[in-house]
Amino acid sequence: MLQKPRGTRDFLPEEMEQRRSIEQRMREVARRWGYREVCTPDFEHLELFTMKSGEGIIQEMYVFEDKSGRKMTLRPEVTAAVLRMYVNEGRVIPKPIRWCYFADCFRYERPQKGRYRQFWQFGVELIGADTALADAEVIMLADDMLRSTGVTFDLHVGHLAPMKHILSGLDPGDQGLIMACLDKHDLEGLEAVLAARGLSHLAEPLAALSGCRSVDEVFEVTGDVPERTRIEETFGILDSQGVSYRPDFGIARGLDYYTGTVFEGFARNLGAENQILGGGAYRLAHLFGGEDVASCGFAIGFDRVMVSLGEVELPHESVVGVVCTPEARTRALQVARAFREAGIRAEVDLMQRGLSAQVAHAAKTAEFVVIVGKREVEAGTVTLKNLSTGEQKEMGLEDAIAGVAGHGHR
Ligand code: HAM
């Protein structure tokens, strides 16, 4: 038997319905904040992601050559693609631009629960607003969106400036290595990198920075940094709006394009793969041939949210099985159509079974059967049977539809 590729999943209808209902909640929040959906290709030129996404992601990409020998990759994330699209198509659109997406991404990682090779992100990008309020809006939107799903999580908010201040003077390669260790919370690795470069004296301020639980403490560790006012304003807005978050200046982010505010979210009930949100302020447009433009965005790891939520209860949906004798088929098809037009899920027998076999089959999924036989055709009626109570009554089609609709369906 052929199997699906490692790290991918199949989704049966029950799971898809749950996923769509959670996706819909996120979409609704995005809509209310004015973020409109965009879509970019599943694959892009490789260089789009090698420019600024960072070593980690580059090694995880699904890279291939197309038939003309172009180097392509399945997208490992969507931000770079959205900014490419902005440079290609969006420069004339009045700023700020508020866009969102729900898209699958591909990373060749070691699969485990919550970590897949194909996974979905719900993300937003706010392009062209370089203010504390812009950063705060994106964080508040992330918070709202996660809340709408019902997941319980901790939101951490930081800024890269204090960490970069501690690492200033190092060459970008070393900075990157150190920040990669901090991002993975790999303290042993960090110690080794610092020791190998004679930078062990940085271990203490870096640890102190990660331990800061307020903005004031941060500047006690680093002294003043030019971004201080901006940082205080961003955090002040979050506080003024009662956002529940933890200041965390140890956030380094795994992608290389971040420039300022950064934030992450963690599901409380998940183990190793508990990061369900990542985002921050970044600059990418100038790399793709556009003008330098400030942007801020995030992506929610949709699959991890689903793992965290477990089974999602969906509103009850009434299902009607339309069963008939052979001579009543034309009428039965019309009856089924009338139920569907009223928004009710109606399924007809396709197997040419006898009436009682049809009812027995319908009972596996349906709450009601509508029986259309010779008598009903002649009388212009249907017989509605409630399969849970066994109650059965002949009536007009409109009454049958009203009877099922009154039972509740979504
Ligand atoms: P990221 O942190 O690399 O950020 O990914 C965002 C989220 O995607 C993660 O927090 C995680 O929940 C989920 N995720 C990542 N890898 C996997 C995987 N293998 N399996 C399941 N879920 C995964 C970004 O991608 C940035 N583009 C976010 C952003 C948007 N920054 C600014 N705008």
Side-chain angles (χ1 to χ4, degrees), residues 100-274:
C100 70
Y101 49 84
F102 181 64
D104 53 350
C105 301
F106 305 85
R107 295 184 192 176
Y108 194 82
E109 298 197 79
R110 196 169 50 78
Q112 61 188 74
K113 197 174 172 95
R115 198 204 282 162
Y116 310 101
R117 291 184 174 172
Q118 181 195 22
F119 62 97
W120 275 259
Q121 288 188 342
F122 201 114
V124 315
E125 310 297 345
L126 170 58
I127 302 167
D130 191 3
T131 60
L133 183 53
D135 293 357
E137 167 166 310
V138 172
I139 294 168
M140 291 189 286
L141 170 55
D143 184 54
D144 248 19
M145 212 177 260
L146 282 178
R147 263 172 219 293
S148 78
T149 68
V151 76
T152 46
F153 64 97
D154 294 309
L155 180 63
H156 291 200
V157 183
H159 194 288
L160 292 179
M163 188 182 286
K164 290 208 163 152
H165 184 74
I166 294 175
L167 302 178
S168 64
L170 306 192
D171 77 69
D174 286 351
Q175 264 195 25
L177 272 177
I178 292 169
M179 290 180 70
C181 293
L182 287 167
D183 177 53
K184 292 195 200 100
H185 303 285
D186 175 6
L187 296 185
E188 271 175 38
L190 177 65
E191 223 173 279
V193 170
L194 292 177
R197 285 160 181 76
L199 298 170
S200 295
H201 61 284
L202 295 181
E204 201 196 305
L206 286 173
L209 187 64
S210 299
C212 289
R213 288 292 163 265
S214 76
V215 175
D216 291 344
E217 281 173 55
V218 170
F219 302 115
E220 282 164 26
V221 174
T222 60
D224 248 349
V225 300
E227 293 82 354
R228 180 173 183 160
T229 320
R230 172 79 176 255
I231 294 172
E232 286 173 344
E233 192 184 348
T234 309
F235 282 67
I237 297 168
L238 298 180
D239 292 338
S240 76
Q241 298 305 304
V243 178
S244 163
Y245 70 96
R246 193 179 105 176
D248 182 354
F249 288 78
I251 298 178
R253 301 292 297 132
L255 293 151
D256 273 356
Y257 47 62
Y258 295 103
T259 49
T261 301
V262 282
F263 54 95
E264 293 179 341
F266 303 91
R268 288 205 188 132
N269 66 344
L270 294 183
E273 302 304 324
N274 65 344

Side-chain angles (χ1 to χ4, degrees), residues 343-407:
I344 296 166
R345 181 173 141 194
E347 297 170 13
V348 298
D349 176 72
L350 304 174
M351 314 290 273
Q352 300 186 313
R353 287 182 264 230
L355 209 55
S356 57
Q358 287 183 48
V359 174
H361 176 74
K364 290 179 191 158
T365 52
E367 282 83 37
F368 295 93
V369 280
V370 171
I371 302 161
V372 190
K374 189 160 175 272
R375 194 182 66 237
E376 284 87 356
V377 172
E378 281 166 10
T381 57
V382 296
T383 297
L384 179 67
K385 178 171 182 166
N386 181 326
L387 289 166
S388 41
T389 62
E391 225 177 295
Q392 165 169 340
K393 204 171 157 209
E394 194 175 332
M395 58 182 82
L397 177 56
E398 290 310 313
D399 290 340
I401 290 171
V404 174
H407 206 255

Side-chain angles (χ1 to χ4, degrees), residues 259-315:
T259 49
T261 301
V262 282
F263 54 95
E264 293 179 341
F266 303 91
R268 288 205 188 132
N269 66 344
L270 294 183
E273 302 304 324
N274 65 344
Q275 194 182 315
I276 54 173
L277 163 76
Y282 61 91
R283 286 175 184 272
L284 273 175
H286 61 291
L287 293 177
F288 306 151
E291 274 165 40
D292 192 17
V293 60
S295 319
C296 188
F298 66 78
I300 289 173
F302 182 77
D303 306 270
R304 291 186 187 171
V305 168
M306 294 310 296
V307 175
S308 171
L309 290 174
E311 282 294 307
V312 177
E313 280 243 17
L314 295 179

